[in-house]
Amino acid sequence: MKKSSQMQVSPQLMVDTPNIFCLVRGASEGRTRLNAFDNALLNAGVGDTNLMRMSSILPPGAEQCAIRDMDLPKGGLIPLAYATIDSTTPGRFISSAIAVGIPEDRSEPGVIMEFEDHSKLENVEAIARQMVVDAFNYRKRKLKEIKSIGIEHQVETCGATFAAAVLWYE
C-alpha cells in the first residue's frame, strides 16, 4: 500500500471556533502544590474540567459572558489561556493575571495575555495589560478596550493562584 505524503483531514473532525469567553480567577492553599492548584481551579469554577491550554488569540467577534452562563461539561476538554503560580514560602505574595484585548474591528481576532509572578497583583496585572498593548502594536491593529482580571494570595504554607480566559460555545 502506498503511503500519502500528506495527511487527509475530514472537515467533520475540525473543531468549531469558540464564540464566547469569560475571565475567571481563583486562589487557594493545599497540602501539596498540585492540591493548591486544583483548589484554585475549583475556586475559579473550572475545577471539574480538563484544561486545554492554548496560545493567546481571542476568536473574532467572541462575546464576554459569566462563567455561570457557560455550560461547561464536567470532564470536558475546555480551551483556555491561563496564568498560574504556586509557592511553599510562607508570607510570600503570588499573583496571576489575564488581560484580553478587544479590537476595534470585531472581524479581527483579539489577543489574550497572561502573566504570573511572586509579586503583588497591581504589578502583575499592569504587565499583562501592557503585553496586550504591545501585541496590538506588533499586529498593527487598533485596540478598542482591555478587559483584565487577576488574583493575589499571601501564602500560608502551600498556595496557588490561577487566572484564565475560558473560551466556549454559545
Side-chain angles (χ1 to χ4, degrees):
M1 175 182 264
K2 186 177 180 180
K3 290 187 178 181
S4 171
S5 62
Q6 291 184 343
M7 186 174 132
Q8 298 294 320
V9 177
S10 167
Q12 291 82 10
L13 297 177
M14 300 301 288
V15 177
D16 288 336
T17 302
N19 58 6
I20 58 174
F21 74 97
C22 73
L23 303 179
V24 298
R25 64 183 174 194
S28 191
E29 291 283 317
R31 196 165 49 89
T32 67
R33 288 178 168 188
L34 185 56
N35 288 131
F37 174 68
D38 185 51
N39 289 337
L41 296 180
L42 288 167
N43 187 257
V46 295
D48 286 328
T49 65
N50 288 299
L51 311 181
M52 267 187 357
R53 196 171 200 173
M54 53 170 214
S55 61
S56 305
I57 298 299
L58 181 71
E63 295 292 333
Q64 186 174 11
C65 68
I67 189 73
R68 69 181 174 276
D69 297 331
M70 290 185 159
D71 189 20
L72 300 177
K74 299 219 183 282
L77 299 173
I78 310 302
L80 65 158
Y82 66 87
T84 185
I85 192 167
D86 61 54
S87 176
T88 57
T89 305
R92 174 175 257 176
F93 282 95
I94 54 175
S95 300
S96 297
I98 195 100
V100 177
I102 310 294
E104 279 189 14
D105 180 352
R106 295 303 304 263
S107 69
E108 292 284 339
V111 297
I112 306 167
M113 293 293 168
E114 56 278 343
F115 188 67
E116 65 276 322
D117 198 16
H118 296 101
S119 180
K120 301 282 268 172
L121 178 58
E122 172 183 313
N123 301 326
V124 170
E125 194 164 0
I127 290 169
R129 293 176 68 85
Q130 183 60 52
M131 290 166 51
V132 166
V133 171
D134 293 346
F136 268 78
N137 287 337
Y138 299 148
R139 288 169 172 77
K140 297 179 181 11
R141 289 191 194 133
K142 291 187 178 178
L143 177 62
K144 179 180 179 185
E145 67 179 308
I146 299 174
K147 299 176 182 234
S148 63
I149 193 170
I151 193 159
E152 172 184 288
H153 178 74
Q154 189 170 16
V155 178
E156 294 171 26
T157 55
C158 183
T161 62
F162 171 84
V166 180
L167 299 182
W168 201 240
Y169 311 91
E170 198 167 38

